[in-house]
Amino acid sequence: RSDVTMAVSSVGEKSFKDQPLFNATDALQSRAAGVQVVKATGAPGGGVKLRIRGSSSINRSSQPLLVVDGVAGGDLNSINTNDIQTIDILKDAASAGIYGARGANGVVVITTKKGGGKPTIDANYFTSVSSIPSRVNLLSPAEYAVVNGRTLVGNGTDLQDE
């Protein structure tokens, strides 16, 4: 980092420590200026496109180079967000001077936590609720059709039951 004289965005552990994140791209979203995190599909757990320097490409891919603890390559989805200490994004063309043509689309440098001192055990968990806390009193499909001056075909569907 001492050799870097370019535009760098840093995201530290404190900015996402107590939040339920599923992968490292969630940690970058809306936290690093000039970085676009775009879901490739609407499917849960689907791929993510990370754009740092736009969509131009020298190597047929617009994905930035990922460097984890000094080792180039890897996948952002395979890194446990609880192990991340800092994420640095090298954004301008000088990153190609450090990493060559592989850094043409920008570079994401991830530093993970290091062990030291007495051994400790950390437990992390995430819970969610997927049920309706209470039903809302709504018109039935037949009542809704009458109010809107329409004719109901079939029985209609109560979406709260679905």
Side-chain angles (χ1 to χ4, degrees):
R1 187 174 174 117
S2 63
D3 296 335
V4 175
T5 59
M6 63 190 103
V8 176
S9 289
S10 293
V11 178
E13 175 188 13
K14 291 181 181 178
S15 65
F16 58 85
K17 183 178 180 180
D18 295 325
Q19 296 180 357
L21 303 175
F22 295 108
N23 56 38
T25 54
D26 291 341
L28 287 175
Q29 195 161 12
S30 300
R31 290 183 178 91
V35 177
Q36 296 175 338
V37 179
V38 181
K39 302 279 186 193
T41 65
V48 175
K49 293 179 182 179
L50 190 62
R51 299 288 180 260
I52 295 175
R53 302 188 63 224
S55 59
S56 62
S57 172
I58 194 169
N59 56 4
R60 292 183 289 157
S61 172
S62 295
Q63 289 291 93
L65 174 66
L66 178 64
V67 178
V68 181
D69 291 333
V71 179
D75 181 23
L76 281 172
N77 293 327
S78 65
I79 299 170
N80 184 353
T81 56
N82 296 317
D83 293 338
I84 296 174
Q85 183 175 354
T86 60
I87 302 173
D88 296 319
I89 298 101
L90 311 180
K91 296 188 280 190
D92 68 358
S95 62
I98 299 170
Y99 295 101
R102 297 180 302 166
N105 296 321
V107 180
V108 177
V109 180
I110 297 179
T111 304
T112 58
K113 297 176 184 175
K114 307 291 186 249
K118 296 170 84 174
T120 60
I121 297 174
D122 292 333
N124 299 304
Y125 63 93
F126 176 76
T127 60
S128 65
V129 177
S130 62
S131 63
I132 299 173
S134 63
R135 290 182 57 85
V136 180
N137 190 13
L138 301 174
L139 296 174
S140 70
E143 293 169 335
Y144 182 79
V146 170
V147 168
N148 288 309
R150 298 179 185 235
T151 304
L152 179 66
V153 177
N155 296 332
T157 302
D158 186 351
L159 294 177
Q160 292 185 78
D161 289 340
E162 292 297 320

